[in-house]
Amino acid sequence: MKVNEKLRSIRKSKGITQKFVAQELNVPIATYNSYELGRRKIHVELLKDIASVLDEPIQNFFVNKIYESKNLKGQKTNTA
């Protein structure tokens, strides 16, 4: 799951509206919506602010399987 998708998922799971987050960040709702849709890049400083608004640790916005997928890359699986 991409950061923008994770952002939307976390926000929705907490029952928080896009309007609320946009107001807290002091950005137009359309701008915030673009972040969630992946139309705009979310820079680290902004992600910190969003994490604060959502009361969520910033590491929860990143995929947990990055390390695992890098370790498995190039490994062959036994099908026997």
Side-chain angles (χ1 to χ4, degrees), residues 4-61:
N4 64 303
E5 294 167 342
K6 193 78 167 179
L7 169 58
R8 178 171 280 219
S9 175
I10 290 170
R11 179 188 55 76
K12 282 184 165 186
S13 74
K14 293 178 176 256
I16 297 172
T17 65
Q18 286 186 343
K19 181 178 180 178
F20 175 80
V21 179
Q23 287 174 337
E24 292 294 308
L25 297 173
N26 199 28
V27 299
I29 296 169
T31 299
Y32 179 77
N33 180 266
S34 293
Y35 293 131
E36 283 195 4
L37 293 175
R39 294 179 183 155
R40 288 178 173 246
K41 291 184 180 183
I42 304 171
H43 298 283
V44 175
E45 290 303 317
L46 177 62
L47 189 57
K48 283 183 189 178
D49 293 340
I50 293 170
S52 178
V53 170
L54 297 178
D55 193 28
E56 190 76 21
I58 196 168
Q59 63 267 23
N60 290 353
F61 292 95

